[in-house]
Each structure stands twice: as structure tokens, then as C-alpha cells.
Amino acid sequence: MYDDYDYEDRPIRRPAPANQNRAQVIWQRHAPNLKLKASIIFLFVLTFWTLEIIDWLTPWWYMDQWGIRPLDPQGLRGIPFAPFLHADFPHLIANTFPFMFLGFLIIVRSTREFFFVTLITIVGGGLGIWVFGGINTIHIGASILVFGYLGFLLASGIFERKAAAIGRSMAVLFLYYSLLIGVFPTTPGISWQGHLFGFLAGGLAAYVLGKRRTEREQAERQLADNIYIYQDDA
């Protein structure tokens, strides 16, 4: 039994029935994959909201203590938890919609790339916060991931150098250029370190994936150049 999608999440083309129009065929090919990708994004958001509701219902259980505490050895354990915790509901709401939009832009291209960018952002951004975040502070919030996705989407156009990637980067820059001010220490109480190092980690992920894509495409072109097609004259 074969999967309908290859490792790049590109649908395998199948002949369309004669009685279906092109739009129906395209939707039938992509709908299951898009629904799965949307479900993954929704699962992340559901986790954010579930944890915040639990935190709200149990004020005696200070869940935010599981955030990143810079330069504290025990604070390292907060690296995988910090992006899923929020100070309050306004903080959560402010992060939910950018996370959904930017995350979907990445996962719609490749599920594996989405999880790779997410992992690099959590680890790289978390370590940056732990080193430079400031003593006696706790850093939490999905904005670490939001800025990681933003950094990835902006940098991917630079490293991939393809029209689609560049166009996507320009569109994201146009829509979210105002977020870039968040990487600077402009607002007290806001973890600009989380924004900055999340953004840099996302850019690093774009570099790694862009380099891997380029190497793979070069190998494919080299393989194609070495293939000879013979025609039987008989």
C-alpha cells in the first residue's frame, strides 16, 4: 500500500476522471493532507488554551514556574515548556492568531519542515533566553515560536532563492513587519530575548533546510544529466 504523498508533502498525480472539473480534482488530492496539517496546528493551539485554562482554574498551582529561568541550572527544564505557557488570556490571544497563520504557512509546504523549525526554535531560542534573559526573571509564551516562524519565513526567501519562497517572504514581511520591533527591548515586561533568539533560531532553520534543498536539487539535476534515453529504431 502506497501513501498519496511523498516525503516533501507533494501529492502524487493521478489521472482525473472525465466527469470531474479541475478544481474538484485538485481539492480531492489536497484536502486530506491539508486537513491533517490544519489539525496539527489546531492541536498546538488547543494545548496552549488547555494549559492556560488549567492555570486559571488552579491559582494555587503556579504553572508559570515551568518557564525559562535564565542562568539557573533548574531553569533549563523550562525550555521545552515555556512556549506552551502564558501569563494570562490576553497574552495567549495575542500569540494565538500569529502562531496559526505563520505556522500554517510553513506546515502547508512540508510537515517535516514545520516540526524541524519548531524544534530548532524551542531549543535554540530557549538556550538564548537562558543565557541572556536576565537574572530573577521567568520567560514564557508562544511568541518564541511566532518569532521563530517569522524568522524562518523571512530567511527562507534569501537562502532558497526561488520565486515562490521570495514571494512568501515578501508577503510575510508586508503583513508582519511591525512585529520586528519586538526583538528590541522597547516594552518593560516583554521578553524581547525570546523574540530575538526565537527569530534567530528560525533563521538558522531556514539556512539548514535551504542548504539541504539546494544540495538535493543539485544531486537530482546531476542524476538527470547522467540518464540516457534510448530509442528503439526497430
PDB file of all heavy atoms in Angstrom, residues 67-95:
ATOM      1  N   GLY A  67       8.491  28.011  33.307  1.00  0.00           N
ATOM      2  CA  GLY A  67       9.119  28.764  32.236  1.00  0.00           C
ATOM      3  C   GLY A  67      10.636  28.723  32.336  1.00  0.00           C
ATOM      4  O   GLY A  67      11.210  28.052  33.201  1.00  0.00           O
ATOM      5  N   ILE A  68      11.283  29.468  31.467  1.00  0.00           N
ATOM      6  CA  ILE A  68      12.749  29.502  31.442  1.00  0.00           C
ATOM      7  C   ILE A  68      13.244  30.521  32.457  1.00  0.00           C
ATOM      8  O   ILE A  68      12.887  31.701  32.399  1.00  0.00           O
ATOM      9  CB  ILE A  68      13.266  29.868  30.041  1.00  0.00           C
ATOM     10  CG1 ILE A  68      12.761  28.863  29.009  1.00  0.00           C
ATOM     11  CG2 ILE A  68      14.795  29.930  30.018  1.00  0.00           C
ATOM     12  CD1 ILE A  68      13.046  29.266  27.574  1.00  0.00           C
ATOM     13  N   ARG A  69      14.088  30.088  33.394  1.00  0.00           N
ATOM     14  CA  ARG A  69      14.710  30.973  34.372  1.00  0.00           C
ATOM     15  C   ARG A  69      16.185  31.101  34.004  1.00  0.00           C
ATOM     16  O   ARG A  69      16.969  30.153  34.206  1.00  0.00           O
ATOM     17  CB  ARG A  69      14.529  30.430  35.790  1.00  0.00           C
ATOM     18  CG  ARG A  69      13.082  30.321  36.216  1.00  0.00           C
ATOM     19  CD  ARG A  69      12.953  30.266  37.731  1.00  0.00           C
ATOM     20  NE  ARG A  69      13.632  29.115  38.293  1.00  0.00           N
ATOM     21  CZ  ARG A  69      13.080  27.918  38.449  1.00  0.00           C
ATOM     22  NH1 ARG A  69      11.824  27.722  38.078  1.00  0.00           N
ATOM     23  NH2 ARG A  69      13.754  26.918  38.995  1.00  0.00           N
ATOM     24  N   PRO A  70      16.579  32.242  33.452  1.00  0.00           N
ATOM     25  CA  PRO A  70      17.951  32.410  32.946  1.00  0.00           C
ATOM     26  C   PRO A  70      19.019  32.182  34.010  1.00  0.00           C
ATOM     27  O   PRO A  70      18.871  32.579  35.172  1.00  0.00           O
ATOM     28  CB  PRO A  70      17.962  33.856  32.447  1.00  0.00           C
ATOM     29  CG  PRO A  70      16.537  34.140  32.114  1.00  0.00           C
ATOM     30  CD  PRO A  70      15.744  33.420  33.149  1.00  0.00           C
ATOM     31  N   LEU A  71      20.085  31.532  33.578  1.00  0.00           N
ATOM     32  CA  LEU A  71      21.285  31.279  34.376  1.00  0.00           C
ATOM     33  C   LEU A  71      21.029  30.436  35.622  1.00  0.00           C
ATOM     34  O   LEU A  71      21.909  30.306  36.475  1.00  0.00           O
ATOM     35  CB  LEU A  71      21.954  32.601  34.770  1.00  0.00           C
ATOM     36  CG  LEU A  71      22.390  33.479  33.583  1.00  0.00           C
ATOM     37  CD1 LEU A  71      23.001  34.776  34.099  1.00  0.00           C
ATOM     38  CD2 LEU A  71      23.360  32.740  32.680  1.00  0.00           C
ATOM     39  N   ASP A  72      19.834  29.871  35.717  1.00  0.00           N
ATOM     40  CA  ASP A  72      19.513  28.959  36.797  1.00  0.00           C
ATOM     41  C   ASP A  72      19.558  27.539  36.224  1.00  0.00           C
ATOM     42  O   ASP A  72      18.811  27.230  35.288  1.00  0.00           O
ATOM     43  CB  ASP A  72      18.120  29.262  37.342  1.00  0.00           C
ATOM     44  CG  ASP A  72      17.729  28.354  38.507  1.00  0.00           C
ATOM     45  OD1 ASP A  72      18.439  27.358  38.747  1.00  0.00           O
ATOM     46  OD2 ASP A  72      16.712  28.639  39.162  1.00  0.00           O
ATOM     47  N   PRO A  73      20.417  26.668  36.754  1.00  0.00           N
ATOM     48  CA  PRO A  73      20.506  25.312  36.195  1.00  0.00           C
ATOM     49  C   PRO A  73      19.155  24.611  36.115  1.00  0.00           C
ATOM     50  O   PRO A  73      18.866  23.925  35.125  1.00  0.00           O
ATOM     51  CB  PRO A  73      21.457  24.595  37.160  1.00  0.00           C
ATOM     52  CG  PRO A  73      22.302  25.699  37.714  1.00  0.00           C
ATOM     53  CD  PRO A  73      21.393  26.878  37.838  1.00  0.00           C
ATOM     54  N   GLN A  74      18.308  24.803  37.129  1.00  0.00           N
ATOM     55  CA  GLN A  74      16.982  24.194  37.078  1.00  0.00           C
ATOM     56  C   GLN A  74      16.084  24.875  36.047  1.00  0.00           C
ATOM     57  O   GLN A  74      15.112  24.275  35.585  1.00  0.00           O
ATOM     58  CB  GLN A  74      16.327  24.250  38.455  1.00  0.00           C
ATOM     59  CG  GLN A  74      17.003  23.358  39.490  1.00  0.00           C
ATOM     60  CD  GLN A  74      16.229  23.305  40.794  1.00  0.00           C
ATOM     61  OE1 GLN A  74      15.282  24.066  41.008  1.00  0.00           O
ATOM     62  NE2 GLN A  74      16.634  22.410  41.680  1.00  0.00           N
ATOM     63  N   GLY A  75      16.426  26.108  35.703  1.00  0.00           N
ATOM     64  CA  GLY A  75      15.632  26.828  34.706  1.00  0.00           C
ATOM     65  C   GLY A  75      15.746  26.262  33.309  1.00  0.00           C
ATOM     66  O   GLY A  75      14.924  26.562  32.437  1.00  0.00           O
ATOM     67  N   LEU A  76      16.752  25.415  33.076  1.00  0.00           N
ATOM     68  CA  LEU A  76      16.895  24.768  31.760  1.00  0.00           C
ATOM     69  C   LEU A  76      15.728  23.844  31.453  1.00  0.00           C
ATOM     70  O   LEU A  76      15.393  23.632  30.288  1.00  0.00           O
ATOM     71  CB  LEU A  76      18.208  23.985  31.712  1.00  0.00           C
ATOM     72  CG  LEU A  76      19.492  24.800  31.586  1.00  0.00           C
ATOM     73  CD1 LEU A  76      20.701  23.906  31.797  1.00  0.00           C
ATOM     74  CD2 LEU A  76      19.565  25.478  30.212  1.00  0.00           C
ATOM     75  N   ARG A  77      15.113  23.298  32.503  1.00  0.00           N
ATOM     76  CA  ARG A  77      13.996  22.385  32.269  1.00  0.00           C
ATOM     77  C   ARG A  77      12.788  23.107  31.671  1.00  0.00           C
ATOM     78  O   ARG A  77      11.879  22.466  31.141  1.00  0.00           O
ATOM     79  CB  ARG A  77      13.588  21.722  33.583  1.00  0.00           C
ATOM     80  CG  ARG A  77      12.976  22.684  34.597  1.00  0.00           C
ATOM     81  CD  ARG A  77      12.677  22.016  35.921  1.00  0.00           C
ATOM     82  NE  ARG A  77      12.076  22.970  36.863  1.00  0.00           N
ATOM     83  CZ  ARG A  77      11.734  22.669  38.106  1.00  0.00           C
ATOM     84  NH1 ARG A  77      11.964  21.443  38.564  1.00  0.00           N
ATOM     85  NH2 ARG A  77      11.182  23.573  38.889  1.00  0.00           N
ATOM     86  N   GLY A  78      12.792  24.427  31.774  1.00  0.00           N
ATOM     87  CA  GLY A  78      11.677  25.190  31.228  1.00  0.00           C
ATOM     88  C   GLY A  78      11.735  25.377  29.726  1.00  0.00           C
ATOM     89  O   GLY A  78      10.754  25.840  29.129  1.00  0.00           O
ATOM     90  N   ILE A  79      12.845  25.036  29.091  1.00  0.00           N
ATOM     91  CA  ILE A  79      12.986  25.270  27.650  1.00  0.00           C
ATOM     92  C   ILE A  79      11.881  24.589  26.840  1.00  0.00           C
ATOM     93  O   ILE A  79      11.268  25.231  25.976  1.00  0.00           O
ATOM     94  CB  ILE A  79      14.392  24.843  27.179  1.00  0.00           C
ATOM     95  CG1 ILE A  79      15.430  25.837  27.695  1.00  0.00           C
ATOM     96  CG2 ILE A  79      14.458  24.748  25.649  1.00  0.00           C
ATOM     97  CD1 ILE A  79      16.872  25.484  27.341  1.00  0.00           C
ATOM     98  N   PRO A  80      11.564  23.300  27.063  1.00  0.00           N
ATOM     99  CA  PRO A  80      10.504  22.684  26.257  1.00  0.00           C
ATOM    100  C   PRO A  80       9.096  23.108  26.661  1.00  0.00           C
ATOM    101  O   PRO A  80       8.150  22.919  25.890  1.00  0.00           O
ATOM    102  CB  PRO A  80      10.704  21.181  26.507  1.00  0.00           C
ATOM    103  CG  PRO A  80      11.362  21.099  27.832  1.00  0.00           C
ATOM    104  CD  PRO A  80      12.241  22.317  27.922  1.00  0.00           C
ATOM    105  N   PHE A  81       8.930  23.694  27.859  1.00  0.00           N
ATOM    106  CA  PHE A  81       7.600  24.053  28.340  1.00  0.00           C
ATOM    107  C   PHE A  81       7.242  25.517  28.090  1.00  0.00           C
ATOM    108  O   PHE A  81       6.059  25.848  27.941  1.00  0.00           O
ATOM    109  CB  PHE A  81       7.494  23.769  29.842  1.00  0.00           C
ATOM    110  CG  PHE A  81       7.747  22.340  30.215  1.00  0.00           C
ATOM    111  CD1 PHE A  81       8.866  21.992  30.944  1.00  0.00           C
ATOM    112  CD2 PHE A  81       6.872  21.345  29.819  1.00  0.00           C
ATOM    113  CE1 PHE A  81       9.110  20.664  31.288  1.00  0.00           C
ATOM    114  CE2 PHE A  81       7.101  20.015  30.156  1.00  0.00           C
ATOM    115  CZ  PHE A  81       8.223  19.678  30.891  1.00  0.00           C
ATOM    116  N   ALA A  82       8.230  26.391  28.080  1.00  0.00           N
ATOM    117  CA  ALA A  82       7.976  27.828  28.021  1.00  0.00           C
ATOM    118  C   ALA A  82       7.071  28.264  26.878  1.00  0.00           C
ATOM    119  O   ALA A  82       6.175  29.093  27.076  1.00  0.00           O
ATOM    120  CB  ALA A  82       9.315  28.584  27.959  1.00  0.00           C
ATOM    121  N   PRO A  83       7.230  27.743  25.634  1.00  0.00           N
ATOM    122  CA  PRO A  83       6.367  28.211  24.546  1.00  0.00           C
ATOM    123  C   PRO A  83       4.895  27.852  24.717  1.00  0.00           C
ATOM    124  O   PRO A  83       4.044  28.399  24.005  1.00  0.00           O
ATOM    125  CB  PRO A  83       6.955  27.506  23.314  1.00  0.00           C
ATOM    126  CG  PRO A  83       8.349  27.150  23.690  1.00  0.00           C
ATOM    127  CD  PRO A  83       8.279  26.839  25.143  1.00  0.00           C
ATOM    128  N   PHE A  84       4.585  26.934  25.629  1.00  0.00           N
ATOM    129  CA  PHE A  84       3.204  26.481  25.800  1.00  0.00           C
ATOM    130  C   PHE A  84       2.505  27.163  26.973  1.00  0.00           C
ATOM    131  O   PHE A  84       1.323  26.918  27.208  1.00  0.00           O
ATOM    132  CB  PHE A  84       3.181  24.962  25.999  1.00  0.00           C
ATOM    133  CG  PHE A  84       3.728  24.190  24.831  1.00  0.00           C
ATOM    134  CD1 PHE A  84       5.080  23.865  24.763  1.00  0.00           C
ATOM    135  CD2 PHE A  84       2.895  23.820  23.782  1.00  0.00           C
ATOM    136  CE1 PHE A  84       5.586  23.163  23.676  1.00  0.00           C
ATOM    137  CE2 PHE A  84       3.399  23.120  22.700  1.00  0.00           C
ATOM    138  CZ  PHE A  84       4.735  22.797  22.638  1.00  0.00           C
ATOM    139  N   LEU A  85       3.217  28.000  27.716  1.00  0.00           N
ATOM    140  CA  LEU A  85       2.659  28.677  28.886  1.00  0.00           C
ATOM    141  C   LEU A  85       2.486  30.161  28.609  1.00  0.00           C
ATOM    142  O   LEU A  85       3.254  30.755  27.848  1.00  0.00           O
ATOM    143  CB  LEU A  85       3.584  28.475  30.090  1.00  0.00           C
ATOM    144  CG  LEU A  85       3.872  27.024  30.493  1.00  0.00           C
ATOM    145  CD1 LEU A  85       4.932  26.979  31.596  1.00  0.00           C
ATOM    146  CD2 LEU A  85       2.598  26.325  30.939  1.00  0.00           C
ATOM    147  N   HIS A  86       1.482  30.765  29.253  1.00  0.00           N
ATOM    148  CA  HIS A  86       1.211  32.193  29.046  1.00  0.00           C
ATOM    149  C   HIS A  86       0.837  32.858  30.367  1.00  0.00           C
ATOM    150  O   HIS A  86       0.305  32.198  31.274  1.00  0.00           O
ATOM    151  CB  HIS A  86       0.092  32.374  28.014  1.00  0.00           C
ATOM    152  CG  HIS A  86       0.483  31.954  26.633  1.00  0.00           C
ATOM    153  ND1 HIS A  86       0.415  30.634  26.224  1.00  0.00           N
ATOM    154  CD2 HIS A  86       0.987  32.655  25.583  1.00  0.00           C
ATOM    155  CE1 HIS A  86       0.840  30.549  24.970  1.00  0.00           C
ATOM    156  NE2 HIS A  86       1.189  31.747  24.567  1.00  0.00           N
ATOM    157  N   ALA A  87       1.108  34.132  30.444  1.00  0.00           N
ATOM    158  CA  ALA A  87       0.872  34.869  31.684  1.00  0.00           C
ATOM    159  C   ALA A  87      -0.613  35.031  31.974  1.00  0.00           C
ATOM    160  O   ALA A  87      -1.044  34.976  33.124  1.00  0.00           O
ATOM    161  CB  ALA A  87       1.549  36.233  31.617  1.00  0.00           C
ATOM    162  N   ASP A  88      -1.424  35.264  30.927  1.00  0.00           N
ATOM    163  CA  ASP A  88      -2.863  35.453  31.082  1.00  0.00           C
ATOM    164  C   ASP A  88      -3.519  35.266  29.724  1.00  0.00           C
ATOM    165  O   ASP A  88      -2.848  35.002  28.711  1.00  0.00           O
ATOM    166  CB  ASP A  88      -3.177  36.840  31.667  1.00  0.00           C
ATOM    167  CG  ASP A  88      -2.433  37.959  30.954  1.00  0.00           C
ATOM    168  OD1 ASP A  88      -2.254  37.867  29.714  1.00  0.00           O
ATOM    169  OD2 ASP A  88      -2.021  38.923  31.627  1.00  0.00           O
ATOM    170  N   PHE A  89      -4.833  35.418  29.676  1.00  0.00           N
ATOM    171  CA  PHE A  89      -5.554  35.198  28.422  1.00  0.00           C
ATOM    172  C   PHE A  89      -5.250  36.254  27.352  1.00  0.00           C
ATOM    173  O   PHE A  89      -5.148  35.908  26.175  1.00  0.00           O
ATOM    174  CB  PHE A  89      -7.061  35.110  28.688  1.00  0.00           C
ATOM    175  CG  PHE A  89      -7.469  33.799  29.304  1.00  0.00           C
ATOM    176  CD1 PHE A  89      -7.827  33.726  30.642  1.00  0.00           C
ATOM    177  CD2 PHE A  89      -7.480  32.630  28.555  1.00  0.00           C
ATOM    178  CE1 PHE A  89      -8.179  32.522  31.222  1.00  0.00           C
ATOM    179  CE2 PHE A  89      -7.838  31.411  29.118  1.00  0.00           C
ATOM    180  CZ  PHE A  89      -8.197  31.361  30.453  1.00  0.00           C
ATOM    181  N   PRO A  90      -5.107  37.540  27.700  1.00  0.00           N
ATOM    182  CA  PRO A  90      -4.707  38.499  26.666  1.00  0.00           C
ATOM    183  C   PRO A  90      -3.366  38.144  26.031  1.00  0.00           C
ATOM    184  O   PRO A  90      -3.191  38.291  24.805  1.00  0.00           O
ATOM    185  CB  PRO A  90      -4.638  39.829  27.427  1.00  0.00           C
ATOM    186  CG  PRO A  90      -5.620  39.669  28.528  1.00  0.00           C
ATOM    187  CD  PRO A  90      -5.510  38.225  28.945  1.00  0.00           C
ATOM    188  N   HIS A  91      -2.429  37.674  26.845  1.00  0.00           N
ATOM    189  CA  HIS A  91      -1.135  37.229  26.334  1.00  0.00           C
ATOM    190  C   HIS A  91      -1.325  36.054  25.373  1.00  0.00           C
ATOM    191  O   HIS A  91      -0.728  36.008  24.291  1.00  0.00           O
ATOM    192  CB  HIS A  91      -0.248  36.823  27.514  1.00  0.00           C
ATOM    193  CG  HIS A  91       1.133  36.414  27.114  1.00  0.00           C
ATOM    194  ND1 HIS A  91       1.920  35.567  27.889  1.00  0.00           N
ATOM    195  CD2 HIS A  91       1.896  36.718  26.028  1.00  0.00           C
ATOM    196  CE1 HIS A  91       3.083  35.379  27.300  1.00  0.00           C
ATOM    197  NE2 HIS A  91       3.096  36.064  26.176  1.00  0.00           N
ATOM    198  N   LEU A  92      -2.179  35.125  25.744  1.00  0.00           N
ATOM    199  CA  LEU A  92      -2.444  33.957  24.907  1.00  0.00           C
ATOM    200  C   LEU A  92      -3.129  34.351  23.603  1.00  0.00           C
ATOM    201  O   LEU A  92      -2.768  33.867  22.520  1.00  0.00           O
ATOM    202  CB  LEU A  92      -3.315  32.969  25.684  1.00  0.00           C
ATOM    203  CG  LEU A  92      -3.811  31.739  24.924  1.00  0.00           C
ATOM    204  CD1 LEU A  92      -2.669  30.937  24.353  1.00  0.00           C
ATOM    205  CD2 LEU A  92      -4.669  30.870  25.844  1.00  0.00           C
ATOM    206  N   ILE A  93      -4.117  35.217  23.692  1.00  0.00           N
ATOM    207  CA  ILE A  93      -4.851  35.644  22.490  1.00  0.00           C
ATOM    208  C   ILE A  93      -3.916  36.356  21.514  1.00  0.00           C
ATOM    209  O   ILE A  93      -3.983  36.155  20.293  1.00  0.00           O
ATOM    210  CB  ILE A  93      -6.027  36.563  22.884  1.00  0.00           C
ATOM    211  CG1 ILE A  93      -7.076  35.759  23.656  1.00  0.00           C
ATOM    212  CG2 ILE A  93      -6.650  37.214  21.648  1.00  0.00           C
ATOM    213  CD1 ILE A  93      -8.163  36.608  24.273  1.00  0.00           C
ATOM    214  N   ALA A  94      -3.024  37.193  22.044  1.00  0.00           N
ATOM    215  CA  ALA A  94      -2.092  37.925  21.189  1.00  0.00           C
ATOM    216  C   ALA A  94      -1.172  36.989  20.420  1.00  0.00           C
ATOM    217  O   ALA A  94      -0.724  37.326  19.319  1.00  0.00           O
ATOM    218  CB  ALA A  94      -1.267  38.895  22.037  1.00  0.00           C
ATOM    219  N   ASN A  95      -0.886  35.802  20.982  1.00  0.00           N
ATOM    220  CA  ASN A  95       0.008  34.860  20.314  1.00  0.00           C
ATOM    221  C   ASN A  95      -0.718  33.847  19.438  1.00  0.00           C
ATOM    222  O   ASN A  95      -0.117  33.275  18.527  1.00  0.00           O
ATOM    223  CB  ASN A  95       0.832  34.090  21.364  1.00  0.00           C
ATOM    224  CG  ASN A  95       1.930  34.919  21.972  1.00  0.00           C
ATOM    225  OD1 ASN A  95       2.469  35.820  21.339  1.00  0.00           O
ATOM    226  ND2 ASN A  95       2.265  34.632  23.218  1.00  0.00           N
TER     227      ASN A  95
END
